[in-house]
Amino acid sequence: MTPFPTDKKTIAAMIHVPPLPGTPLARVPISEMIPSVRNEAELYRDLGVDVILVENMHDRPYLRGDAVGHEITAAVAVLAAEIKDASQLPCGIQILAAANKQALACAFANDLDFIRAEGFVFAHIADEGLIDSNAAELLRYRKSIGAEDIAILTDIKKKHSSHSITEDIDIIETAHAAEFFLSDGLIITGAATGRKADLEEVRAVRSALPHLPLVIGSGITADNIREFLDHTDGVIVGTAIKKDANWTNPPDPTRLKTLLKAARR
């Protein structure tokens, strides 16, 4: 079910789709976005990436949950279908912020493989505001639409967030709670986009939950990828493979080749 099996080291690359309709930075129609996302998907496939994750990170500032409009869900679905077709790789989707049901609907409509979910267990304060826990509602929604083949990978102690209201619950207990609430895999990040996770926390979670897929979701570079892969089942890379290591830029084939070479040394 999961695209990050525990018997393999999986490299997933981010495609940050252009700003979508109605968002402050939107500039071009969906039809003009399709060639660029297809080209990016084909580049990742040709250079040897294992998995693609689609995300609407350019839609800042982000709405939350059901406030994310139908126009965003529809646009992401169109672009995700093109990315899946162009790459022929396992694909996942995340819709910011915490629009997990919308992401699941997109994945179901396009035969994608997984979603990345925020706020699965324990409420936290993100830069968008309060993100409440949603495991029960999300899993019931997945059941109701017959999408149980789509994995739900869940961020714990998520980046761009304050966890002060759950500071008495460490990352291991948070991971256990996610497992108990039927997460299909855990994602650990640093404090913000491009910042690496705490390796000691990663090791601790791996030791506590050796059979649940564990993925690093930020801060991976050619210099540290091997170290993190030694303790996880895969990584999601975005910033490090973009031109000038800036997530807003297009992908840099040379940076990606360097990272993949380091990962597979």
Side-chain angles (χ1 to χ4, degrees):
M1 183 177 181
T2 176
F4 294 88
T6 55
D7 60 351
K8 181 185 176 184
K9 304 297 185 180
T10 300
I11 313 297
M14 296 290 306
I15 292 184
H16 299 113
V17 299
L20 297 174
T23 62
L25 299 178
R27 297 291 183 271
V28 300
I30 296 170
S31 59
E32 292 183 23
M33 301 177 192
I34 291 174
S36 67
V37 300
R38 288 187 68 93
N39 289 339
E40 192 168 347
E42 290 167 357
L43 172 68
Y44 290 155
R45 176 202 64 202
D46 293 345
L47 292 183
V49 165
D50 303 306
V51 170
I52 291 176
L53 177 59
V54 182
E55 186 184 67
N56 63 324
M57 195 165 175
H58 287 283
D59 285 358
R60 53 201 167 114
Y62 311 115
L63 295 168
R64 287 173 291 158
D66 290 339
V68 174
H70 301 305
E71 71 283 358
I72 298 301
T73 307
V76 172
V78 169
L79 296 174
E82 296 288 345
I83 290 166
K84 177 75 172 182
D85 178 69
S87 70
Q88 295 298 303
L89 291 174
C91 290
I93 192 165
Q94 178 177 21
I95 300 181
L96 299 170
N100 300 329
K101 288 197 294 184
Q102 291 90 328
L104 192 57
C106 287
F108 182 59
N110 291 303
D111 197 27
L112 304 189
D113 301 274
F114 70 101
I115 70 165
R116 180 176 180 175
E118 301 173 82
F120 191 73
V121 290
F122 294 112
H124 59 270
I125 306 297
D127 44 13
E128 307 92 7
L130 178 65
I131 305 293
D132 204 354
S133 55
N134 52 58
E137 182 179 357
L138 183 60
L139 291 183
R140 281 164 174 79
Y141 179 66
R142 181 173 68 170
K143 183 79 170 183
S144 72
I145 65 173
E148 291 170 285
D149 288 340
I150 298 171
I152 297 176
L153 303 184
T154 58
D155 276 279
I156 55 173
K157 299 289 186 181
K158 192 181 184 301
K159 61 186 176 181
H160 299 290
S161 302
S162 167
H163 300 281
S164 59
I165 56 177
T166 56
E167 62 184 354
D168 58 331
I169 302 169
D170 66 20
I171 195 167
I172 296 175
E173 287 305 311
T174 305
H176 277 300
E179 180 194 37
F180 183 68
F181 274 12
L182 308 178
S183 169
D184 296 311
L186 305 175
I187 300 175
I188 297 178
T189 69
T193 297
R195 298 186 193 175
K196 69 178 182 179
D198 184 311
L199 188 58
E200 291 307 312
E201 288 187 345
V202 172
R203 288 172 173 158
V205 172
R206 167 92 303 170
S207 178
L209 294 164
H211 303 301
L212 192 64
L214 179 62
V215 179
I216 301 300
S218 74
I220 292 297
T221 68
D223 293 330
N224 66 28
I225 189 169
R226 189 65 257 168
E227 185 175 34
F228 279 104
L229 282 176
D230 285 343
H231 303 285
T232 64
D233 304 299
V235 297
I236 298 168
V237 294
T239 301
I241 59 174
K242 300 298 179 70
K243 183 180 179 182
D244 300 325
N246 184 328
W247 72 267
T248 64
N249 287 336
D252 183 330
T254 300
R255 295 182 68 89
L256 177 55
K257 289 176 185 176
T258 300
L259 184 137
L260 291 173
K261 183 177 179 181
R264 289 163 179 155
R265 252 199 311 264

